Amino acid sequence: MITAFRAFSRSKWAAGLLVLIAVSFVIVGARMDVFDNLGPKHVISAGDRSMSEVEFRTAFDRVRERVQEQAGRPLTNADLVAENIHVRFLDSQTEQLGFLNWAWKAGLRPGKELIVKQIRQIPAFFNSVTGQFDQQAYQAALAQQNLTPAMLEQDLRDQYATEHFGAAVYAGARVPRIYGALLAGQAFERRDGRWFEVTQAMAGQVAAPTDAHLNAFIQETPPAFARPSSARFRSCCSRLIPPPPTPRSRKRASSSASTSRRTAWVSPRPAPSSP
C-alpha cells in the first residue's frame, strides 16, 4: 500500500489534486477551520430563535453607547465587563429570545402590514424634497446603525409581540375579591366613640401638708436633704468715671480760677518785720 501511495504521489493526478486544493482555498478562503463546527454556532440559542456573534456584538455596542450617554464619558468594553454589564445583558437577551420563541409558537405573530406601517412612520426614511419613502435613505440610515432591513423588521415584529402580550396581560388581570372587600371595608368603615371629662372635684381634694408630713418626708429621703448647701459668690470692681466737662462747667472752672488769681493779687502782703 505504501508503494502505491508513493507511485500516486509521483503521478500527474497527485499534482492535479494539489492544484484543486489550492484553488479551493483561494475561492473559499483560508479561514476554514476544521473544528469550527464542533463549537456553538450562536451566542444565544432559545428554540428557533438565536443570536450570532455579530448580532451580539452589534447589540452590545448599542448598550455601550447608551451607557456612555448616561455616564457622560467614553467607556470601553473592559469597563462594562468590570461592571458585570455583559452578563446582565446576556441574561436579558436570553429571557427575551425565549419569550419571543414561545410567543411565535403560540400564534402571537404581527402581520406584515403592521411592520410596513411602523417603518413608514419613521421620518429618517423619507426624502426631504419629495416627502416620499426613499429606499436608499432607508438602507443608509440602517447602515449607520449597523443594521439591515431584516434585522429592523425582526426588531419591530418582536416589539409588537411584546407590547401586545403585555397589554393583554394587563387587561386580563383580575384582583382577588378578598382584596376588594378589604378596600371597601376600609373605605366605608365607621367608628363610634364616647368621652367624658374628669374634674378635680371627682378625683377628691388633697389637704395641705403639715409640718409632721414634711418631717416624715425628709426622714424617708435623707440623702436628698443631707447634702451640704453650696453658694457661689461673684465679686466685681467698679470705678466712678466723671462725666465729660460741659461748656458751662468749663466757664465755671475758668471763672473760679480767675477769681482766685485776682484775690491773690489784691490781698495785701504782710509788712516786713523790723529788725
Side-chain angles (χ1 to χ4, degrees), residues 207-217:
T210 60
D211 294 340
H213 295 160
L214 296 178
N215 292 330
F217 178 74

Side-chain angles (χ1 to χ4, degrees), residues 161-234:
T162 304
E163 292 178 353
H164 287 190
F165 179 79
V169 170
Y170 180 78
R174 293 292 183 269
V175 179
R177 293 184 177 181
I178 186 62
Y179 183 72
L182 290 175
L183 293 179
Q186 293 178 359
F188 295 98
E189 186 178 27
R190 295 292 184 271
R191 294 180 181 271
D192 296 333
R194 296 181 181 181
W195 64 91
F196 57 92
E197 183 180 0
V198 179
T199 61
Q200 184 66 35
M202 297 173 61
Q205 298 292 334
V206 179
T210 60
D211 294 340
H213 295 160
L214 296 178
N215 292 330
F217 178 74
I218 293 173
Q219 292 177 4
E220 290 177 358
T221 57
F225 297 95
R227 297 175 183 175
S229 60
S230 60
R232 294 181 180 180
F233 295 94
R234 294 181 180 178

